[in-house]
Amino acid sequence: MKPNRSILSVPGHKAKMHAKAAESQADVIMLDLEDSVPIDAKATARDQVVASLQNCDWQAKTVSVRINALDTPFGYRDVLTIVEAAGQRVDTVVVPKVNHPGDIHFVDRLLNGIVLNKKFTQQIKIEASIETARGLEQVTTIAGSSSRLKTLVFGVADYAASIGARLASLSGHGENEDAVYPGHRWHYTLSRIVTAAKAHGLLAIDAPYGDFKDTHGLTHAARMACALGCDGKWAIHPNQIAGINEVFSPSAEDIARAETILKANAGAQGNGAIAVNGRMIDQATVRLAQQLYDQAVHLRLVDNSKSKS
Ligand code: COA
Ligand code: MG
Protein backbone atom coordinates (compact mmCIF):
# COMPACT_ATOMS: atom_id res chain seq x y z
CA MET A 1 0.00 0.00 0.00
CA LYS A 2 1.21 3.53 -0.75
CA PRO A 3 2.13 5.70 2.27
CA ASN A 4 -0.73 7.54 3.97
CA ARG A 5 1.16 9.71 6.43
CA SER A 6 0.00 13.17 5.36
CA ILE A 7 -3.36 13.93 3.77
CA LEU A 8 -3.63 17.52 2.50
CA SER A 9 -7.18 18.87 2.40
CA VAL A 10 -7.70 21.37 -0.43
CA PRO A 11 -10.89 23.39 -0.95
CA GLY A 12 -12.59 22.11 -4.12
CA HIS A 13 -13.29 25.55 -5.62
CA LYS A 14 -9.70 26.88 -5.35
CA ALA A 15 -7.91 25.78 -8.52
CA LYS A 16 -4.66 27.54 -7.61
CA MET A 17 -4.40 25.46 -4.46
CA HIS A 18 -4.95 22.27 -6.46
CA ALA A 19 -1.86 22.97 -8.54
CA LYS A 20 0.14 23.74 -5.41
CA ALA A 21 -1.09 20.56 -3.72
CA ALA A 22 -0.10 18.43 -6.73
CA GLU A 23 3.49 19.64 -6.35
CA SER A 24 3.60 19.13 -2.58
CA GLN A 25 5.16 16.28 -0.63
CA ALA A 26 1.81 15.12 0.79
CA ASP A 27 1.17 11.39 0.41
CA VAL A 28 -2.52 11.99 -0.23
CA ILE A 29 -4.41 14.97 -1.68
CA MET A 30 -8.02 15.30 -0.61
CA LEU A 31 -10.07 17.59 -2.83
CA ASP A 32 -12.82 18.84 -0.55
CA LEU A 33 -16.40 19.52 -1.57
CA GLU A 34 -17.69 19.73 2.01
CA ASP A 35 -16.95 22.19 4.79
CA SER A 36 -14.24 24.31 3.13
CA VAL A 37 -16.60 25.14 0.23
CA PRO A 38 -19.35 27.78 0.61
CA ILE A 39 -22.89 26.64 -0.21
CA ASP A 40 -23.14 28.86 -3.28
CA ALA A 41 -19.90 27.41 -4.67
CA LYS A 42 -20.87 23.72 -4.32
CA ALA A 43 -21.66 23.25 -8.02
CA THR A 44 -18.64 25.16 -9.34
CA ALA A 45 -16.41 23.27 -6.88
CA ARG A 46 -17.61 19.97 -8.39
CA ASP A 47 -16.72 21.18 -11.90
CA GLN A 48 -13.35 22.44 -10.71
CA VAL A 49 -12.56 19.16 -8.97
CA VAL A 50 -13.42 17.22 -12.14
CA ALA A 51 -11.15 19.52 -14.19
CA SER A 52 -8.28 19.23 -11.69
CA LEU A 53 -8.61 15.45 -11.45
CA GLN A 54 -8.31 15.27 -15.22
CA ASN A 55 -5.63 17.90 -15.78
CA CYS A 56 -3.24 18.15 -12.81
CA ASP A 57 -0.17 15.94 -12.66
CA TRP A 58 -0.78 14.14 -9.37
CA GLN A 59 2.41 12.07 -9.76
CA ALA A 60 2.32 8.97 -7.56
CA LYS A 61 0.02 10.54 -5.00
CA THR A 62 -3.19 9.03 -3.77
CA VAL A 63 -6.07 11.35 -4.71
CA SER A 64 -9.32 11.43 -2.80
CA VAL A 65 -12.48 13.51 -2.96
CA ARG A 66 -14.53 14.40 0.10
CA ILE A 67 -18.21 14.56 -0.79
CA ASN A 68 -20.83 16.43 1.19
CA ALA A 69 -22.70 14.59 3.91
CA LEU A 70 -25.49 12.29 2.79
CA ASP A 71 -28.15 14.26 4.68
CA THR A 72 -27.51 17.33 2.49
CA PRO A 73 -28.83 18.02 -1.04
CA PHE A 74 -25.26 17.74 -2.37
CA GLY A 75 -23.76 14.39 -1.29
CA TYR A 76 -25.37 11.97 -3.76
CA ARG A 77 -24.82 14.39 -6.67
CA ASP A 78 -21.14 14.76 -5.70
CA VAL A 79 -20.60 11.01 -6.12
CA LEU A 80 -22.42 10.85 -9.46
CA THR A 81 -20.80 13.92 -11.01
CA ILE A 82 -17.24 13.37 -9.84
CA VAL A 83 -16.97 9.63 -10.33
CA GLU A 84 -18.81 9.49 -13.66
CA ALA A 85 -16.64 12.26 -15.10
CA ALA A 86 -13.25 11.51 -13.57
CA GLY A 87 -13.51 8.18 -11.71
CA GLN A 88 -10.30 6.84 -13.29
CA ARG A 89 -8.31 9.34 -11.25
CA VAL A 90 -10.23 8.93 -7.96
CA ASP A 91 -8.53 6.59 -5.51
CA THR A 92 -10.90 7.12 -2.59
CA VAL A 93 -14.18 8.85 -1.78
CA VAL A 94 -14.27 10.34 1.71
CA VAL A 95 -17.73 10.23 3.27
CA PRO A 96 -18.17 12.79 6.06
CA LYS A 97 -20.34 12.38 9.16
CA VAL A 98 -20.87 8.65 8.74
CA ASN A 99 -23.50 7.68 11.30
CA HIS A 100 -24.40 4.18 10.26
CA PRO A 101 -23.17 1.30 8.02
CA GLY A 102 -26.07 2.17 5.70
CA ASP A 103 -24.24 5.39 4.75
CA ILE A 104 -21.32 3.31 3.47
CA HIS A 105 -23.64 0.79 1.75
CA PHE A 106 -25.29 3.67 -0.12
CA VAL A 107 -21.99 5.05 -1.47
CA ASP A 108 -20.72 1.53 -2.17
CA ARG A 109 -23.77 0.70 -4.33
CA LEU A 110 -23.56 3.99 -6.21
CA LEU A 111 -19.88 3.30 -6.95
CA ASN A 112 -20.69 -0.27 -8.09
CA GLY A 113 -23.15 1.06 -10.65
CA ILE A 114 -20.88 3.81 -11.96
CA VAL A 115 -17.87 1.48 -12.19
CA LEU A 116 -19.93 -1.07 -14.17
CA ASN A 117 -21.39 1.58 -16.44
CA LYS A 118 -18.08 3.30 -17.14
CA LYS A 119 -16.06 0.05 -17.18
CA PHE A 120 -13.46 1.41 -14.76
CA THR A 121 -10.82 -1.18 -14.01
CA GLN A 122 -9.31 0.19 -10.79
CA GLN A 123 -11.05 -0.16 -7.43
CA ILE A 124 -12.37 3.04 -5.89
CA LYS A 125 -12.09 2.84 -2.11
CA ILE A 126 -14.12 4.58 0.59
CA GLU A 127 -12.96 6.46 3.68
CA ALA A 128 -15.42 6.95 6.53
CA SER A 129 -15.13 10.07 8.64
CA ILE A 130 -16.22 9.43 12.20
CA GLU A 131 -17.26 12.78 13.62
CA THR A 132 -20.56 12.31 15.42
CA ALA A 133 -21.63 10.59 18.61
CA ARG A 134 -23.81 8.28 16.50
CA GLY A 135 -20.89 7.41 14.25
CA LEU A 136 -18.68 6.54 17.20
CA GLU A 137 -21.41 4.36 18.72
CA GLN A 138 -21.58 2.44 15.41
CA VAL A 139 -17.88 2.50 14.58
CA THR A 140 -17.35 -1.27 14.71
CA THR A 141 -20.19 -2.08 12.31
CA ILE A 142 -19.16 0.84 10.07
CA ALA A 143 -15.59 -0.54 9.95
CA GLY A 144 -16.89 -3.91 8.76
CA SER A 145 -19.50 -2.58 6.35
CA SER A 146 -17.79 -2.85 2.94
CA SER A 147 -14.76 -4.34 1.21
CA ARG A 148 -14.33 -0.90 -0.38
CA LEU A 149 -13.59 0.65 3.00
CA LYS A 150 -9.93 1.61 3.39
CA THR A 151 -9.79 4.13 6.21
CA LEU A 152 -11.48 5.53 9.29
CA VAL A 153 -10.79 9.23 9.84
CA PHE A 154 -11.42 11.22 13.02
CA GLY A 155 -13.21 14.56 12.51
CA VAL A 156 -12.42 16.44 15.70
CA ALA A 157 -14.39 19.70 15.37
CA ASP A 158 -17.65 18.13 14.25
CA TYR A 159 -17.26 15.42 16.89
CA ALA A 160 -16.80 18.04 19.61
CA ALA A 161 -19.93 19.84 18.37
CA SER A 162 -21.85 16.57 18.20
CA ILE A 163 -21.21 15.74 21.87
CA GLY A 164 -21.54 19.35 23.06
CA ALA A 165 -17.90 19.64 24.18
CA ARG A 166 -16.69 23.19 24.78
CA LEU A 167 -14.81 24.98 21.97
CA ALA A 168 -11.28 25.33 23.37
CA SER A 169 -9.50 27.32 20.64
CA LEU A 170 -10.09 29.63 17.70
CA SER A 171 -10.14 26.85 15.09
CA GLY A 172 -11.54 24.02 17.20
CA HIS A 173 -9.21 21.61 15.41
CA GLY A 174 -7.00 20.05 18.04
CA GLU A 175 -5.26 23.07 19.58
CA ASN A 176 -5.13 23.92 23.27
CA GLU A 177 -6.60 20.54 24.21
CA ASP A 178 -4.09 19.90 27.02
CA ALA A 179 -5.21 23.10 28.73
CA VAL A 180 -8.84 21.98 29.06
CA TYR A 181 -8.13 18.29 29.66
CA PRO A 182 -4.62 17.34 30.75
CA GLY A 183 -3.37 14.35 28.78
CA HIS A 184 -5.41 13.99 25.59
CA ARG A 185 -9.02 15.20 25.41
CA TRP A 186 -9.81 12.80 22.52
CA HIS A 187 -7.91 9.79 23.79
CA TYR A 188 -10.98 7.57 24.15
CA THR A 189 -12.50 8.61 20.83
CA LEU A 190 -9.32 8.19 18.85
CA SER A 191 -8.46 4.87 20.50
CA ARG A 192 -11.96 3.60 19.81
CA ILE A 193 -11.62 4.53 16.13
CA VAL A 194 -8.11 3.04 15.89
CA THR A 195 -9.26 -0.24 17.46
CA ALA A 196 -12.27 -0.60 15.13
CA ALA A 197 -10.09 0.24 12.12
CA LYS A 198 -7.31 -2.18 12.96
CA ALA A 199 -9.74 -4.99 13.84
CA HIS A 200 -10.96 -4.74 10.24
CA GLY A 201 -7.60 -4.18 8.54
CA LEU A 202 -8.24 -0.47 7.88
CA LEU A 203 -6.05 2.59 8.26
CA ALA A 204 -6.75 5.06 11.07
CA ILE A 205 -6.15 8.74 10.36
CA ASP A 206 -6.13 11.63 12.83
CA ALA A 207 -7.95 14.95 12.40
CA PRO A 208 -6.13 18.11 11.22
CA TYR A 209 -4.49 20.68 13.48
CA GLY A 210 -6.04 24.10 12.92
CA ASP A 211 -3.22 26.46 13.99
CA PHE A 212 -1.10 26.13 10.84
CA LYS A 213 1.62 28.47 12.15
CA ASP A 214 2.22 26.42 15.32
CA THR A 215 4.67 23.72 14.23
CA HIS A 216 5.44 22.67 17.80
CA GLY A 217 1.73 22.11 18.59
CA LEU A 218 1.27 20.19 15.33
CA THR A 219 4.21 17.90 16.08
CA HIS A 220 2.93 17.27 19.61
CA ALA A 221 -0.57 16.39 18.32
CA ALA A 222 0.84 14.16 15.55
CA ARG A 223 3.10 12.31 18.02
CA MET A 224 0.10 11.64 20.27
CA ALA A 225 -1.89 10.24 17.36
CA CYS A 226 1.07 8.13 16.19
CA ALA A 227 1.50 6.77 19.72
CA LEU A 228 -2.18 5.73 19.76
CA GLY A 229 -1.82 3.73 16.51
CA CYS A 230 -2.83 6.22 13.84
CA ASP A 231 -1.18 5.82 10.44
CA GLY A 232 -1.30 9.48 9.46
CA LYS A 233 -2.88 12.87 9.97
CA TRP A 234 -4.78 15.34 7.86
CA ALA A 235 -3.11 18.64 7.00
CA ILE A 236 -4.92 21.84 6.11
CA HIS A 237 -1.88 23.84 4.99
CA PRO A 238 1.21 22.89 2.95
CA ASN A 239 3.44 24.03 5.86
CA GLN A 240 2.17 21.08 7.90
CA ILE A 241 3.16 18.29 5.49
CA ALA A 242 6.87 17.90 6.31
CA GLY A 243 6.24 17.75 10.08
CA ILE A 244 3.51 15.13 9.70
CA ASN A 245 5.58 13.01 7.31
CA GLU A 246 8.45 13.10 9.78
CA VAL A 247 6.38 12.01 12.78
CA PHE A 248 4.75 9.13 10.88
CA SER A 249 8.05 7.86 9.42
CA PRO A 250 10.37 5.70 11.53
CA SER A 251 13.40 7.75 12.64
CA ALA A 252 16.99 6.53 12.30
CA GLU A 253 16.93 5.82 16.03
CA ASP A 254 13.68 3.79 15.71
CA ILE A 255 15.18 1.76 12.87
CA ALA A 256 18.43 1.10 14.76
CA ARG A 257 16.41 -0.09 17.78
CA ALA A 258 14.30 -2.40 15.62
CA GLU A 259 17.44 -3.81 13.98
CA THR A 260 18.95 -4.53 17.41
CA ILE A 261 15.81 -6.41 18.47
CA LEU A 262 15.48 -8.39 15.23
CA LYS A 263 19.16 -9.30 15.25
CA ALA A 264 19.03 -10.46 18.88
CA ASN A 265 15.88 -12.46 18.16
CA ALA A 266 17.46 -14.13 15.14
CA GLY A 267 20.48 -15.04 17.29
CA ALA A 268 18.23 -16.49 20.01
CA GLN A 269 16.77 -18.95 17.48
CA GLY A 270 13.16 -18.89 18.62
CA ASN A 271 13.69 -18.64 22.40
CA GLY A 272 10.85 -16.86 24.23
CA ALA A 273 11.99 -13.96 26.40
CA ILE A 274 15.63 -12.93 26.18
CA ALA A 275 17.69 -10.09 27.66
CA VAL A 276 19.13 -7.44 25.35
CA ASN A 277 21.22 -4.65 26.86
CA GLY A 278 19.58 -5.30 30.24
CA ARG A 279 16.00 -5.18 28.86
CA MET A 280 13.54 -7.99 28.33
CA ILE A 281 12.38 -8.60 24.79
CA ASP A 282 9.88 -11.29 23.85
CA GLN A 283 7.88 -12.16 20.73
CA ALA A 284 5.54 -9.17 21.20
CA THR A 285 8.59 -6.88 21.12
CA VAL A 286 9.74 -8.68 17.98
CA ARG A 287 6.35 -8.12 16.30
CA LEU A 288 6.52 -4.39 17.09
CA ALA A 289 10.09 -4.19 15.78
CA GLN A 290 9.23 -6.11 12.60
CA GLN A 291 6.24 -3.84 11.91
CA LEU A 292 8.39 -0.75 12.27
CA TYR A 293 11.16 -2.24 10.16
CA ASP A 294 8.74 -3.22 7.39
CA GLN A 295 7.34 0.30 7.40
CA ALA A 296 10.89 1.67 7.04
CA VAL A 297 11.46 -0.66 4.08
CA HIS A 298 8.16 0.40 2.55
CA LEU A 299 9.20 4.05 2.80
CA ARG A 300 12.62 3.11 1.35
CA LEU A 301 14.41 4.24 4.51
CA VAL A 302 16.34 0.95 4.64
CA ASP A 303 17.52 -1.70 2.25
CA ASN A 304 14.63 -3.86 1.02
CA SER A 305 16.68 -7.07 1.00
CA LYS A 306 16.83 -7.10 4.82
CA SER A 307 13.01 -7.08 5.32
CA LYS A 308 11.39 -10.01 7.16
CA SER A 309 14.82 -11.06 8.43
N1 COA B 1 -3.70 23.31 -0.20
C1 COA B 1 -2.91 23.83 -1.15
N2 COA B 1 -2.36 25.06 -1.07
C2 COA B 1 -2.63 25.78 0.04
C3 COA B 1 -3.45 25.29 1.07
C4 COA B 1 -4.00 24.00 0.92
N3 COA B 1 -4.79 23.46 1.85
N4 COA B 1 -3.52 26.21 2.05
C5 COA B 1 -2.77 27.26 1.66
N5 COA B 1 -2.24 27.00 0.44
C6 COA B 1 -1.35 27.88 -0.35
C7 COA B 1 -1.92 29.26 -0.56
O1 COA B 1 -2.73 29.30 -1.72
C8 COA B 1 -0.67 30.08 -0.69
O2 COA B 1 -0.16 29.88 -2.00
P1 COA B 1 0.72 31.05 -2.74
O3 COA B 1 1.91 31.28 -1.86
O4 COA B 1 1.06 30.43 -4.06
O5 COA B 1 -0.21 32.24 -2.84
C9 COA B 1 0.31 29.40 0.26
O6 COA B 1 -0.15 28.05 0.42
C10 COA B 1 0.39 30.05 1.62
O7 COA B 1 -0.91 30.13 2.15
P2 COA B 1 -1.26 31.15 3.35
O8 COA B 1 -1.29 32.55 2.81
O9 COA B 1 -0.34 30.88 4.49
O10 COA B 1 -2.70 30.70 3.78
P3 COA B 1 -4.08 31.26 3.26
O11 COA B 1 -4.46 32.44 4.12
O12 COA B 1 -4.07 31.44 1.78
O13 COA B 1 -5.06 30.05 3.61
C11 COA B 1 -6.45 28.60 4.89
C12 COA B 1 -5.32 29.63 4.94
C13 COA B 1 -6.62 27.99 6.26
C14 COA B 1 -7.75 29.30 4.47
C15 COA B 1 -6.08 27.52 3.83
O14 COA B 1 -4.86 26.95 4.28
C16 COA B 1 -7.11 26.46 3.59
O15 COA B 1 -8.12 26.70 2.93
N6 COA B 1 -6.85 25.22 4.08
C17 COA B 1 -7.73 24.06 3.82
C18 COA B 1 -9.01 24.12 4.63
C19 COA B 1 -9.77 22.86 4.49
O16 COA B 1 -9.60 22.09 3.56
N7 COA B 1 -10.67 22.59 5.45
C20 COA B 1 -11.47 21.40 5.44
C21 COA B 1 -10.80 20.24 6.09
S1 COA B 1 -10.73 20.37 7.85
MG1 MG C 1 -16.17 17.62 9.74
Side-chain angles (χ1 to χ4, degrees), residues 2 9 32 34 38 41 113 148 153 159 164 168 170 178 192 222 266:
K2 290 199 232 171
S9 176
D32 183 33
E34 202 215 10
R148 278 191 198 278
V153 184
Y159 184 78
L170 188 60
D178 289 2
R192 186 74 199 81

Side-chain angles (χ1 to χ4, degrees), residues 169-297:
S169 63
L170 188 60
S171 154
H173 286 82
E175 319 98 87
N176 209 30
E177 304 288 18
D178 289 2
V180 292
Y181 189 98
H184 190 319
R185 182 149 72 130
W186 308 112
H187 173 272
Y188 165 75
T189 318
L190 205 46
S191 289
R192 186 74 199 81
I193 291 171
V194 168
T195 306
K198 300 305 165 90
H200 290 86
L202 308 179
L203 297 174
I205 301 293
D206 191 25
Y209 187 76
D211 185 348
F212 53 87
K213 303 218 158 131
D214 176 10
T215 49
H216 177 75
L218 171 73
T219 303
H220 180 66
R223 284 207 180 114
M224 289 261 216
C226 186
L228 289 175
C230 285
D231 300 284
K233 185 171 176 67
W234 276 12
I236 43 93
H237 191 284
N239 286 356
Q240 297 182 319
I241 295 167
I244 292 176
N245 283 350
E246 189 182 340
V247 169
F248 286 95
S249 303
S251 66
E253 193 188 342
D254 294 332
I255 295 168
R257 192 187 299 120
E259 282 176 335
T260 302
I261 294 165
L262 294 176
K263 208 167 149 196
N265 179 59
Q269 292 175 339
N271 285 341
I274 55 171
V276 178
N277 301 340
R279 266 73 152 211
M280 186 279 288
I281 68 166
D282 65 5
Q283 292 309 301
T285 327
V286 172
R287 277 188 285 277
L288 277 166
Q290 188 69 60
Q291 249 178 33
L292 188 131
Y293 197 79
D294 289 346
Q295 194 194 4
V297 171

Side-chain angles (χ1 to χ4, degrees), residues 56-73:
C56 288
D57 178 5
W58 299 105
Q59 303 166 53
K61 293 180 174 65
T62 298
V63 182
S64 62
V65 177
R66 180 166 71 166
I67 62 169
N68 286 280
L70 297 171
D71 60 357
T72 70

Side-chain angles (χ1 to χ4, degrees), residues 34-35 66 96-97 129 131 154-159 173 234:
E34 202 215 10
D35 281 352
R66 180 166 71 166
K97 303 181 179 67
S129 185
E131 45 188 334
F154 176 41
V156 64
D158 275 305
Y159 184 78
H173 286 82
W234 276 12

Side-chain angles (χ1 to χ4, degrees), residues 17-53:
M17 287 193 184
H18 299 185
K20 201 167 177 98
E23 288 168 8
S24 75
Q25 294 301 311
D27 291 334
V28 183
I29 303 301
M30 188 192 77
L31 300 168
D32 183 33
L33 297 172
E34 202 215 10
D35 281 352
S36 67
V37 177
I39 298 282
D40 61 5
K42 293 290 186 193
T44 48
R46 260 183 222 131
D47 294 342
Q48 182 55 58
V49 166
V50 167
S52 294
L53 284 166

